[in-house]
Amino acid sequence: MSINGRAYIAGAYEHPTRKAPDKSVAQLHAEVAVGALADAGLTKDDVDGYFCAGDAPGLGPLAMADYLNLDLRHLDSTDLGGASYIAHVAHAAQAIALGKCNVALITLAGRPRSAGHSGTAARPVIADAPDSPWEAPFGPTTVNLYALCARRHMHEFGTTPEQLAWIKVAASHHARHNPHAMLRDVVSVEDVLASPVVADPLHRLDCCVVSDGGGALVVVRPEIARSLKRPPVRVMGAGESAKGQRGGEVDLTWSAARRSGPAAFAEAGVTPADIKYASIYDSFTITVLMQIEDLGFCEKGQGGRFVADGNLIAGSGRLPFNTDGGGLCNNHPANRGGMTKVIEAVRQLRGEAHPAVQVDNCDLAVATGIGGLLGSRHGAATLVLGRE
């Protein structure tokens, strides 16, 4: 069964805070839920499906359903790391198409900034994880597992630090128009390269911000979407995939988006050339470059040339991306940025992005994300969304 046109995003909300020392994670979940439902013109009593991931405190959706006082008949706690919320939109559309629920609420929230978490600390050892005996002794961190991919891409294809820096430059041009963005100053390629090296070849400005906050989405049946006053955003296609060590067949130059992207485009009946706007998970600059290649916006190995010279900047570039500033400049709540990618895609399709970055006649968008560690094992999820 295709989900194309079987469900619509009716509500979207991004928490305005970037540091919340006075709020609990559960409270942040509740606040974004209220915001998204209000945006849709619905209430918690309309919700009969709830979706959350590992950022939800307590016993996942059970604890949050109780905290939010929801009366549910469908729950989903799929966890693909930062890609979870992109996958949740697809899962909500599937559940709605099957009659399992009518109004699905998806929430994300976290406080990594207040808690002092970052990608430079050694990954916590999970004793029963199958990879722990082989990798934990080496103390891998998030940033160096992404840096591995960047260095290999440079070795294989001649990608340069300057080309990666253009991704940050584009994000900064967009963030200056976002009053909530953590980094609002426009930076140059030279600024990125002059920032300290965190994990060779990635500089500090190649890395995303760490923020508190969150976001929420409301996905509904087509009949409900048409009864509401907000512009409906059609769920057209979706794909999911995972990539690990492949039994020793390690190739660090491609991501699981190589499979999730084509699946989403095929279900939507469109091609990358049709896309007007792209929300691309930007935990690091290399994450963006590899997904652009893997989604089919350019050939593998040509990503560096594709992103250079402002090609991602709205109004002048070939592929406007992350017009809220993305994870590189705006926010990265709970260290999981997939939610905000969908929210900005919804803004663009509704024509509600900042006027300086609103894409003309934006009727087709893609939101895609990576969850986990690009250099070891990760998942990918991709959504194609359209304006009615």
Side-chain angles (χ1 to χ4, degrees):
M1 176 189 293
S2 172
I3 62 171
N4 193 339
R6 304 298 295 271
Y8 289 75
I9 298 176
Y13 179 79
E14 177 187 352
H15 206 292
T17 191
R18 299 296 178 260
K19 190 171 185 180
D22 59 337
K23 298 179 186 289
S24 69
V25 173
Q27 181 181 351
L28 290 169
H29 273 273
E31 290 178 0
V32 296
V34 169
L37 287 167
D39 182 63
L42 297 167
T43 73
K44 73 174 185 63
D45 294 332
D46 296 307
V47 176
D48 59 353
Y50 178 64
F51 297 70
C52 64
D55 56 279
L59 193 55
L62 301 182
M64 288 308 305
D66 180 43
Y67 184 82
L68 297 172
N69 195 21
L70 299 175
D71 186 9
L72 304 171
R73 59 192 182 100
H74 187 77
L75 301 94
D76 188 321
S77 59
T78 298
D79 199 331
L80 298 178
S84 300
Y85 322 94
I86 297 172
H88 285 169
V89 174
H91 292 191
Q94 292 164 4
I96 289 169
L98 290 170
K100 300 296 184 181
C101 62
N102 294 316
V103 176
L105 172 66
I106 308 167
T107 66
L108 154 78
R111 300 174 62 256
R113 186 178 178 195
S114 292
H117 298 162
S118 76
T120 58
R123 303 288 295 182
V125 177
I126 303 173
D128 292 330
D131 51 276
S132 286
W134 316 108
E135 297 181 7
F138 298 95
T141 69
T142 298
V143 65
N144 65 29
L145 285 169
Y146 280 76
L148 281 174
C149 296
R151 178 54 69 194
R152 189 65 194 181
H153 204 281
M154 291 176 176
H155 174 77
E156 290 282 346
F157 305 117
T159 307
T160 67
E162 289 81 3
Q163 290 170 337
L164 285 180
W166 270 107
I167 299 171
K168 181 75 167 197
V169 171
S172 74
H173 275 268
H174 299 152
R176 63 177 168 161
H177 303 293
N178 183 350
H180 301 301
M182 289 183 65
L183 304 179
R184 297 188 63 196
D185 292 336
V186 173
V187 299
S188 66
V189 169
E190 292 73 23
D191 291 331
V192 178
L193 300 183
S195 65
V197 173
V198 178
D200 183 50
L202 298 179
H203 297 76
R204 178 186 292 165
L205 293 183
D206 284 300
C207 308
C208 68
V209 298
V210 176
S211 71
D212 300 344
L217 297 161
V218 179
V219 185
V220 303
R221 294 180 63 84
E223 299 84 356
I224 296 174
R226 286 191 283 269
S227 73
L228 302 172
K229 296 180 180 179
R230 303 294 282 128
V233 172
R234 176 176 177 147
V235 180
M236 298 179 62
E240 299 172 26
S241 187
K243 181 191 176 192
Q245 297 299 301
R246 299 170 59 84
E249 184 190 336
V250 179
D251 184 343
L252 296 173
T253 64
W254 61 274
S255 74
R258 188 170 79 173
R259 290 193 290 268
S260 67
F265 289 129
E267 185 169 35
V270 302
T271 70
D274 299 317
I275 297 296
K276 301 288 183 60
Y277 166 76
S279 275
I280 302 177
Y281 199 139
D282 52 346
S283 49
F284 301 91
T285 51
I286 186 62
T287 321
V288 176
L289 186 145
M290 286 175 58
Q291 288 175 95
I292 284 174
E293 294 176 340
D294 294 334
L295 292 175
F297 288 108
C298 66
E299 295 295 324
K300 176 56 66 177
Q302 297 301 308
R305 295 178 180 86
F306 185 93
V307 304
D309 301 321
N311 206 27
L312 301 180
I313 299 175
S316 59
R318 178 179 171 187
L319 182 68
F321 102 120
N322 297 7
T323 45
D324 60 342
L328 288 170
C329 294
N330 175 26
N331 71 337
H332 192 222
N335 290 329
R336 291 163 169 247
M339 171 65 75
T340 54
K341 299 299 163 280
V342 182
I343 291 172
E344 184 66 4
V346 169
R347 291 193 191 109
Q348 281 287 348
L349 290 166
R350 287 176 168 179
E352 295 173 354
H354 190 283
V357 297
Q358 176 65 52
V359 175
D360 292 339
N361 191 30
C362 186
D363 58 357
L364 202 59
V366 65
T368 194
I370 297 293
L373 300 168
L374 198 62
S376 58
R377 59 201 54 78
H378 64 272
T382 305
L383 277 176
V384 176
L385 303 172
R387 186 184 67 205
E388 286 292 279

